[in-house]
């Protein structure tokens, strides 16, 4: 919904799986953006909405026919959620995010498996702000979440 926008960047990814069932994954994305939007007849230059400059994920996993485990860490820089909004025409931004998740599984047989999932182990919170992190627009406290379950295939 803007006049013009540009995005230049690079994405790198690597994955290695060893013979013993252990594996590693990593990816990184760098994005440099610019945009131009006309608001009430005034040209406003800024960043492209919804794009973080740096994003990366690191994953370690172990998988056999009986057991599986996965630990994943993800990072996303602050990003613009809405280019020019609010009373002061400040950008609405989201704070950076750092997430750590864990999943464990046990296959009892080919039809029955047990699992445990733990999400947001770092207890990251959600926050949007107007231009400056002290001008909070929205704040929500997110807690760790755990799920224990049974899967059955028939």
């Amino acid at each position: 919904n803007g006049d013009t926008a540009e995005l230049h960047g690079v994405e790198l990814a690597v994955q290695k799986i060893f013979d013993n069932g252990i594996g590693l994954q990593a990816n990184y994305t760098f994005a440099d953006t610019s945009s131009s939007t006309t608001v009430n007849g005034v040209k406003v230059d800024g960043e492209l909405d919804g794009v973080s400059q740096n994003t990366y994920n690191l994953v370690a996993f172990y998988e056999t026919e009986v057991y599986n485990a996965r630990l994943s860490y993800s990072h996303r820089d602050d990003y613009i959620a809405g280019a020019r909004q609010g009373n002061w025409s400040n950008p609405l931004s989201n704070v950076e995010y750092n997430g750590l998740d864990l999943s464990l599984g046990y296959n009892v047989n080919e039809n029955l498996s047990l699992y445990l999932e733990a999400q947001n182990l770092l207890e990251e919170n959600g926050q949007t702000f107007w231009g400056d992190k002290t001008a909070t627009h929205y704040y929500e406290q997110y807690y760790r979440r755990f799920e224990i379950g049974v899967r059955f295939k028939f």
Side-chain angles (χ1 to χ4, degrees):
N1 293 332
D3 300 333
T4 62
E6 289 188 21
L7 185 144
H8 302 276
V10 63
E11 183 173 75
L12 306 169
V14 63
Q15 176 175 301
K16 176 66 177 170
I17 302 173
F18 300 95
D19 292 336
N20 59 4
I22 294 175
L24 301 170
Q25 298 173 324
N27 64 55
Y28 170 75
T29 302
F30 172 81
D32 183 29
T33 68
S34 64
S35 69
S36 180
T37 305
T38 302
V39 179
N40 298 326
V42 177
K43 183 179 174 183
V44 179
D45 294 323
E47 299 172 19
L48 187 60
D49 291 6
V51 181
S52 295
Q53 186 173 32
N54 295 289
T55 306
Y56 57 88
N57 299 286
L58 304 168
V59 179
F61 61 91
Y62 174 71
E63 191 163 335
T64 67
E65 289 185 22
V66 178
Y67 300 102
N68 62 71
R70 179 181 179 96
L71 181 66
S72 63
Y73 176 81
S74 60
H75 170 82
R76 180 177 186 179
D77 283 354
D78 293 354
Y79 64 94
I80 302 296
R84 301 291 172 214
Q85 300 180 9
N87 298 332
W88 308 282
S89 294
N90 285 328
L92 178 64
S93 299
N94 281 36
V95 296
E96 73 175 28
Y97 176 81
N98 295 291
L100 183 64
D101 299 332
L102 172 69
S103 65
L104 303 170
Y106 173 69
N107 297 323
V108 177
N109 57 45
E110 65 181 49
N111 295 331
L112 181 66
S113 61
L114 310 173
Y115 68 92
L116 166 68
E117 293 183 359
Q119 299 171 346
N120 194 24
L121 291 172
L122 301 175
E123 291 192 319
E124 284 289 301
N125 299 313
Q127 179 188 2
T128 58
F129 58 93
W130 297 112
D132 181 303
K133 288 184 181 175
T134 61
T136 297
H137 165 257
Y138 176 82
Y139 179 86
E140 185 168 354
Q141 191 167 8
Y142 300 129
Y143 296 98
R144 293 181 187 110
R145 294 178 306 280
F146 298 94
E147 181 178 332
I148 297 174
V150 176
R151 291 186 179 105
F152 183 76
K153 292 188 276 184
F154 55 94

